[in-house]
């Protein structure tokens, strides 16, 4: 099959371990100058990224793969309460599987990784980092609950502390009812909570609940993007991400909504179609 004929999206299915993941491939009309895998944020469906992925294909001749992590969105095979997924399953193994799938289809094209929040955190725990030509992380960083502005402190405290006993009883987090996107598997919530309430973030899990990292493995060009009005992962937390990729050739950007004529962007907003004004800046 000629992968370059027509315009996406084209449905994709691939496996992460024994878990079948569903994605969409946004194809270019001409042979692409690069291919990009777009790793989603926690609880954010691949459909949210469709406008951005189509824009990459149409305006920049970059084929883009979007997908859902195991047990959520189009990749859900069971109710969240029955899932044993963890944040590491999503951020290491599922991201690796998506990148491998795209790389196998386009072995001779430059490979980009675009990571939103969780999507950019755990690359050092993955394999074959030398295959990556460029990384763009957006609103991604090892955030601690003390990083959040005062106005957001009560909401985050409720999420990590007041919600916890109910999540343990239910055996999942009812994210849809709470306005947090997908229902979250309990293992994802537990690990996410442990990281964000620890000064060491995921340090205690290394070699135990997650593989050993290759801190020097990523040497590609890397753009680290913070959103000025992001209360969930503020710029100070985003800059800490760079310590995980010491040999990457890094460039920083703070996106100020006002500079683009926007009232707000926030943590989830960078890839929303209403904020398309910032997209060229994200990938420049």
């Amino acid at each position: 099959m000629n992968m370059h004929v027509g315009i996406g999206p084209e449905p994709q299915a691939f496996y992460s371990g024994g878990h079948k993941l569903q994605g969409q491939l946004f194809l270019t009309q001409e042979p692409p100058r690069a291919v990009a895998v777009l790793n989603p944020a926690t609880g954010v469906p691949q459909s949210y990224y469709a406008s951005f992925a189509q824009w990459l294909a149409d305006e920049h001749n970059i084929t883009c793969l979007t997908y859902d992590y195991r047990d959520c969105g189009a990749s859900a095979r069971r109710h969240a309460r029955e899932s044993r997924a963890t944040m590491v399953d999503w951020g290491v193994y599922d991201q690796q599987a998506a990148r491998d799938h795209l790389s196998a289809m386009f072995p001779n094209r430059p490979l980009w990784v675009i990571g939103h929040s969780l999507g950019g955190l755990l690359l050092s725990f993955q394999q074959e980092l030398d295959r990556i030509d460029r990384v763009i992380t957006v609103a991604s960083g090892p955030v601690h609950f003390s990083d959040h502005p005062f106005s957001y402190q009560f909401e985050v405290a409720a999420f990590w502390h007041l919600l916890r006993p109910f999540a343990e009883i239910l055996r999942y987090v009812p994210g849809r009812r709470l306005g947090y996107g997908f229902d979250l598997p309990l293992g994802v919530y537990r690990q996410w909570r442990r990281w964000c309430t620890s000064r060491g973030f995921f340090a205690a899990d290394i070699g135990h609940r997650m593989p050993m990292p290759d801190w020097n493995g990523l040497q590609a060009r890397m753009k680290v993007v913070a959103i000025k009005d992001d209360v969930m992962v503020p710029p100070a937390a985003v800059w800490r991400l760079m310590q995980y990729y010491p040999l990457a050739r890094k460039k920083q950007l703070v996106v100020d909504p006002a500079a683009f004529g926007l009232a707000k962007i926030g943590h989830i907003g960078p890839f929303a179609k209403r904020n398309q004004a910032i997209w060229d800046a994200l990938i420049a």
Side-chain angles (χ1 to χ4, degrees):
M1 181 176 65
N2 187 339
M3 298 303 298
H4 312 308
V5 173
I7 300 176
E10 178 181 283
Q12 297 291 303
F14 53 94
Y15 283 86
S16 176
H19 300 268
K20 187 177 182 180
L21 306 185
Q22 297 289 344
Q24 296 283 334
L25 188 67
F26 293 80
L27 296 165
T28 58
Q29 288 183 313
E30 302 295 329
R33 67 182 180 93
V35 296
V37 58
L38 207 168
N39 296 327
T42 303
V44 179
Q46 64 173 305
S47 58
Y48 164 73
Y49 301 99
S51 293
F52 177 82
Q54 190 67 66
W55 171 83
L56 273 183
D58 293 345
E59 302 298 328
H60 291 274
N61 198 35
I62 298 173
T63 290
C64 185
L65 174 66
T66 64
Y67 65 99
D68 286 317
Y69 297 126
R70 68 184 68 180
D71 294 338
C72 63
S75 299
R77 297 292 179 271
R78 57 185 64 81
H79 191 278
R81 73 166 57 90
E82 299 170 353
S83 173
R84 295 185 178 182
T86 66
M87 192 69 89
V88 168
D89 289 330
W90 288 1
V92 177
Y93 302 113
D94 292 356
Q95 288 181 20
Q96 178 83 59
R99 176 159 58 89
D100 290 347
H101 178 70
L102 184 62
S103 181
M105 286 192 294
F106 299 90
N108 299 315
R109 297 293 172 181
L111 177 63
W112 291 20
V113 174
I114 302 175
H116 184 199
S117 194
L118 171 64
L121 273 175
L122 302 180
L123 277 170
S124 290
F125 296 88
Q126 298 174 23
Q127 306 296 315
E128 297 185 340
L129 299 179
D130 58 341
R131 174 69 180 87
I132 300 172
D133 294 279
R134 192 176 185 204
V135 173
I136 300 170
T137 66
V138 180
S140 179
V143 67
H144 183 261
F145 71 86
S146 64
D147 291 321
H148 306 295
F150 180 77
S151 60
Y152 189 63
Q153 288 285 338
F154 177 78
E155 183 173 342
V156 77
F159 188 73
W160 294 137
H161 301 294
L162 298 182
L163 178 61
R164 182 185 183 186
F166 296 100
E168 294 289 344
I169 292 170
L170 294 172
R171 307 302 294 173
Y172 78 104
V173 174
R176 294 183 187 277
R177 294 185 182 182
L178 297 174
Y180 290 111
F182 293 129
D183 294 340
L184 297 179
L186 183 60
V188 169
Y189 174 75
R190 283 173 171 169
Q191 198 161 44
W192 191 14
R193 179 185 183 277
R194 184 165 59 251
W195 293 354
C196 292
T197 58
S198 169
R199 287 291 184 183
F201 200 60
F202 50 48
D205 282 358
I206 295 176
H208 176 46
R209 298 180 180 91
M210 59 199 307
M212 297 300 294
D214 180 3
W215 298 123
N216 296 326
L218 184 69
Q219 300 183 26
R221 289 188 300 145
M222 181 178 189
K223 188 168 189 176
V224 181
V225 180
I227 309 299
K228 186 176 181 180
D229 66 334
D230 184 355
V231 298
M232 293 183 67
V233 185
V238 171
W239 305 146
R240 286 190 214 115
L241 177 71
M242 294 190 291
Q243 68 185 310
Y244 300 150
Y245 309 111
L247 299 187
R249 305 189 298 278
K250 295 177 285 291
K251 180 169 70 171
Q252 296 171 249
L253 171 68
V254 180
V255 175
D256 183 349
F260 295 87
L262 302 171
K264 63 180 180 178
I265 298 175
H267 184 68
I268 301 299
F271 295 94
K273 188 172 178 57
R274 67 180 180 275
N275 295 325
Q276 184 173 344
I278 75 169
W279 289 354
D280 276 314
L282 296 185
I283 70 166

